Amino acid sequence: MDQQQNIKIWAEAAKSIDWFKEPSITLDDSQAPLYQWFSDGECNTCYNSLDRHVQNNRGDQTAIIYDSPVTNTIEHISYSTLLHRVSRFAGALKELGVCKGDRVVIYMPMVPEAAVAMQACARIGAIHSVVFGGFAANELASRIDDCQPKLILSASCGIEPGRLVPYKPLLDEAINRAMHKPEHCIILQRPELQVTMLAGRDLNWHDVEKGGDPCDCEPLKSTDPLYIIYTSGTTGNPKGVVRDNGGHMVAMNWSLENVYGINPGDVFWAASDIGWVVGHSYIVYGPLIRGATAIMFEGKPVGTPDAATYWRLIERHKVKAMFTAPTAIRAIKQQDPAGEGPQNFDLSSLKHLFLGGERADSDTIQWAERQLGIPVIDHWWQTELGWPAVANCIGIELLPVKYGSSGKPVPGFDVVVLAEDGRESESGKMGALAIRLPLPPGTLPSLWKNDQGFIDKYLSEYPGYYSAGDAGYIDCDGYVYIMSRTDDVINVAGHRLSTGQMEEVISKHPDVAECAVFGIKDEMKGQIPLGLLVLNSGTLRADNDIVAEVVSKVRDEIGPVAFFKRAIVVKRLPKTRSGKILRATLQRIADKEEFNVPATIDDPIILDEIALLIG
């Protein structure tokens, strides 16, 4: 696609957004390689999420369905009700001195108040930064110091299967550690845990919201920041990714229609958390901008109460399309290998299941296809990009599924594979995934107060391209295969091999629920692969037999060059809270190197378990 055609697509897409001042500039390249979209437009994200739908006589439609199996709560919140709550809370924030451009940190569980908080900030032009609820105090402190919030919005606790996670002690410790001190903390006291408030600093959420006077939307520049989201975990130090208002709205509305096939009034469920980019894009903002209904789920794919939770919610709320992580499907598959759960529910409303956030192996996709009888679609994007860059765009045309591929580049994303010398690789040859500039609307324009850091991190390795940090290849039909992070490509005796390709082979074994492969040091070959296997629930065969079959399978399908000779059966894999396996940390454990426990890890005890098994 040439540049003029690209600009024309987004100029047309921008017409679906209500502007206070319509943009006359679609793409502003005056500061390239820092690009801006719709730079002279004025708008408001909250207005497009709520006000315009109410004004168009759709206020009685459900905006958000809050379904919390951990508290046995189901609540349908209409557009009118949500607008009323958001407007009052926004007014309360203004009365506390929060102005356009001020930052507000949101450290909350998956409750409706979190969405109210985000939309209220958007309404008055405050820039929110959501931090995953229960995140470690030192990590929260680093984000407080970086964005310097005027207020912090939090809750007394989060709720995990079988336990409460008190937030207030973590919040207090983080503020004590941080150099910057917020003026106030607004605390939602949940019935499950009441906490002591700090006089003069802490305010009760319900009192604040009840006392707020409704306020109108603040006109904002299209390029004004909507939010900051910090990315960390498997990819290094936290980085403050900025999202703008105008381009983000255009991308959200366009992608819901064209990637996910969602129309106004449809029910869309992104089974994620507001602490992650998926929760921003496809729970709190995208579906509401589109005029659809979003589901806010406070629970887990298994254990709240069982492995049928997803199917139960789909039937209950007539979900049209769902987005979850492959690890969630693998967790369900491990508990229910025969796939009996879906047979007990009416899932006729569900037209498509989308997988993302990590590489989806063929076996997981095919298992879900067999159980659901619908297209199961892998797609690829990143926190930085904000929405899918590679997908099977069902709103445009459902293409044949190729297992192992995330689909084709989405319009606006000129995805290429580059060799080490920076030249485009031949089809079928693995290299570094990159996207030719400019990136489309909705992607990061920069990092928070760090333009040079943005250029150094993402734009310098391959001038003229955004470097994605992933390795993969594009086949002769234009399908993109994301194999692994570039640092997950291992070098075995001079041969560059993808650990993702090995995982693809291993996951086909009928007794393997999920797996991880990573490179460890070897004196002779430089690196050799090591596999960790989690078996399906109820597997009775000997571990050694399964390991031998897996080793043989990798040798047969990839070849002796892979030198895959060792695998260990483990009970579970260490993952971030968003489901990504911590391969880099596993590699350091196996190599007996020092490592820091990643702040995003779901359960640190797993690392000790695996260290003992690896030896």
Side-chain angles (χ1 to χ4, degrees):
M1 181 188 302
D2 64 38
Q3 189 63 268
Q4 289 306 311
Q5 186 181 359
N6 186 37
I7 291 172
K8 187 177 180 180
I9 286 175
W10 299 118
E12 184 64 28
K15 295 177 182 177
S16 64
I17 298 302
D18 286 7
W19 301 86
F20 296 149
K21 177 189 173 187
E22 290 195 10
S24 63
I25 301 170
T26 302
L27 175 64
D28 183 348
D29 59 2
S30 61
Q31 300 178 63
L34 303 178
Y35 295 89
Q36 295 183 322
W37 290 92
F38 317 112
S39 57
D40 63 340
E42 292 185 3
C43 57
N44 185 283
T45 296
C46 181
Y47 181 87
N48 278 273
S49 299
L50 301 175
D51 299 68
R52 67 169 177 168
H53 303 308
V54 174
Q55 291 169 12
N56 290 328
N57 299 316
R58 297 180 58 229
D60 292 339
Q61 179 192 315
T62 300
I64 292 176
I65 300 171
Y66 169 54
D67 195 313
S68 171
V70 296
T71 62
N72 294 313
T73 303
I74 300 173
E75 182 181 359
H76 291 73
I77 305 169
S78 71
Y79 273 93
S80 291
T81 298
L82 186 57
L83 174 59
H84 178 71
R85 291 195 63 184
V86 167
S87 178
R88 291 189 68 165
F89 197 71
L93 294 180
K94 290 182 75 171
E95 289 162 21
L96 288 169
V98 179
C99 302
K100 172 183 172 181
D102 286 340
R103 277 77 62 207
V104 175
V105 162
I106 299 173
Y107 182 66
M108 297 191 72
M110 286 288 285
V111 292
E113 286 77 7
V116 168
M118 294 167 73
Q119 289 282 357
C121 288
R123 192 171 189 84
I124 61 176
I127 305 164
H128 66 68
S129 181
V130 181
V131 179
F132 186 91
F135 227 29
N138 63 311
E139 294 294 328
L140 177 57
S142 70
R143 288 150 173 78
I144 291 171
D145 279 336
D146 192 66
C147 73
Q148 301 188 333
K150 182 167 281 190
L151 297 182
I152 297 180
L153 313 179
S154 190
S156 57
C157 67
I159 304 173
E160 297 283 334
R163 67 187 179 103
L164 296 180
V165 181
Y167 285 4
K168 189 63 163 48
L170 295 168
L171 174 62
D172 290 341
E173 183 182 348
I175 293 173
N176 286 336
R177 290 188 180 200
M179 297 295 292
H180 174 85
K181 309 297 180 185
E183 293 180 9
H184 294 287
C185 297
I186 302 176
I187 307 296
L188 176 68
Q189 294 272 26
R190 304 192 73 180
E192 293 78 12
L193 180 65
Q194 300 286 304
V195 296
T196 302
M197 308 284 267
L198 181 62
R201 187 196 72 183
D202 296 344
L203 305 172
N204 183 284
W205 185 291
H206 295 300
D207 293 342
V208 170
E209 183 177 338
K210 186 178 179 181
D213 292 326
C215 72
D216 292 331
C217 293
E218 182 80 19
L220 304 170
K221 292 180 180 179
S222 172
T223 55
D224 282 342
L226 171 65
Y227 67 77
I228 306 164
I229 183 167
Y230 287 90
T231 175
S232 60
T234 60
T235 53
N237 296 324
K239 302 176 290 289
V241 171
V242 173
R243 199 78 65 211
D244 66 6
N245 275 275
H248 173 255
M249 284 192 287
V250 171
M252 290 300 96
N253 187 75
W254 190 93
S255 63
L256 259 296
E257 177 182 8
N258 292 285
V259 177
Y260 298 107
I262 294 297
N263 295 311
D266 289 339
V267 180
F268 184 71
W269 181 16
S272 184
D273 189 281
I274 55 148
W276 312 126
V277 69
V278 176
H280 287 60
S281 294
Y282 296 116
I283 298 176
V284 175
Y285 288 120
L288 303 191
I289 291 167
R290 183 72 182 141
T293 297
I295 291 181
M296 179 171 271
F297 172 63
E298 188 181 24
K300 301 287 186 182
V302 296
T304 58
D306 52 33
T309 298
Y310 275 12
W311 322 131
R312 190 175 295 112
L313 261 73
I314 291 167
E315 178 187 67
R316 180 183 294 156
H317 303 305
K318 304 294 186 288
V319 176
K320 181 180 180 182
M322 181 183 183
F323 175 178
T324 190
T327 190
I329 301 301
R330 286 193 287 264
I332 295 169
K333 175 174 171 279
Q334 186 197 17
Q335 296 294 313
D336 180 20
E340 296 175 357
Q343 315 310 317
N344 299 321
F345 298 91
D346 178 4
L347 306 182
S348 57
S349 67
L350 189 68
K351 305 305 179 187
H352 303 94
L353 173 64
F354 292 86
L355 302 179
E358 56 170 322
R359 190 167 178 277
D361 58 277
S362 302
D363 187 64
T364 297
I365 293 174
Q366 291 171 326
W367 183 87
E369 285 177 336
R370 289 195 299 273
Q371 312 318 318
L372 302 175
I374 60 173
V376 177
I377 299 169
D378 185 18
H379 63 331
W380 173 83
W381 49 299
Q382 301 173 320
T383 299
E384 292 87 343
L385 300 179
W387 60 287
V390 177
N392 194 333
C393 295
I394 64 167
I396 299 174
E397 179 188 11
L398 180 60
L399 301 172
V401 171
K402 287 194 177 186
Y403 298 115
S405 170
S406 298
K408 293 188 175 184
V410 172
F413 291 95
D414 189 356
V415 180
V416 299
V417 174
L418 301 178
E420 290 183 1
D421 61 5
R423 297 181 182 180
E424 288 193 34
S425 296
E426 301 171 7
S427 63
K429 190 170 183 179
M430 195 165 72
L433 240 68
I435 304 170
R436 186 177 280 108
L437 299 177
L439 296 175
T443 56
L444 80 169
S446 189
L447 298 176
W448 176 246
K449 292 190 173 180
N450 192 4
D451 288 346
Q452 191 57 51
F454 169 58
I455 293 169
D456 293 344
K457 171 67 179 175
Y458 299 102
L459 310 182
S460 296
E461 185 175 8
Y462 304 107
Y465 296 89
Y466 165 89
S467 179
D470 282 312
Y473 65 92
I474 300 175
D475 72 11
C476 59
D477 295 321
Y479 282 75
V480 181
Y481 295 73
I482 290 89
M483 303 310 297
S484 56
R485 297 292 297 174
T486 49
D487 51 11
D488 288 334
V489 174
I490 62 174
N491 194 315
V492 180
H495 299 280
R496 288 171 56 80
L497 300 169
S498 165
T499 56
Q501 187 179 10
M502 297 181 208
E503 290 174 0
E504 178 81 19
V505 172
I506 296 168
S507 65
K508 294 176 183 176
H509 191 287
D511 293 321
V512 175
E514 60 180 340
C515 62
V517 177
F518 50 95
I520 60 175
K521 289 179 182 176
D522 181 78
E523 288 185 6
M524 291 292 293
K525 295 184 177 293
Q527 283 183 303
I528 57 173
L530 171 64
L532 300 182
L533 317 177
V534 178
L535 305 184
N536 286 321
S537 178
T539 299
L540 300 177
R541 300 180 61 217
D543 291 355
N544 288 344
D545 291 342
I546 295 171
V547 167
E549 290 168 3
V550 163
V551 169
S552 176
K553 198 171 184 66
V554 172
R555 181 183 178 88
D556 290 344
E557 296 197 25
I558 297 179
V561 68
F563 207 78
F564 183 83
K565 294 189 174 183
R566 187 183 177 204
I568 302 170
V569 173
V570 298
K571 291 181 179 179
R572 49 191 182 152
L573 296 173
K575 300 176 183 176
T576 66
R577 292 185 179 94
S578 61
K580 293 179 181 177
I581 297 170
L582 295 166
R583 293 175 179 82
T585 303
L586 288 171
Q587 183 174 327
R588 293 189 187 98
I589 291 172
D591 288 339
K592 295 181 171 51
E593 296 177 353
E594 290 187 10
F595 65 93
N596 296 319
V597 177
T600 52
I601 192 169
D602 190 40
D603 186 352
I605 295 173
I606 301 175
L607 298 179
D608 296 329
E609 296 173 358
I610 288 176
L612 287 172
L613 290 169
I614 292 176

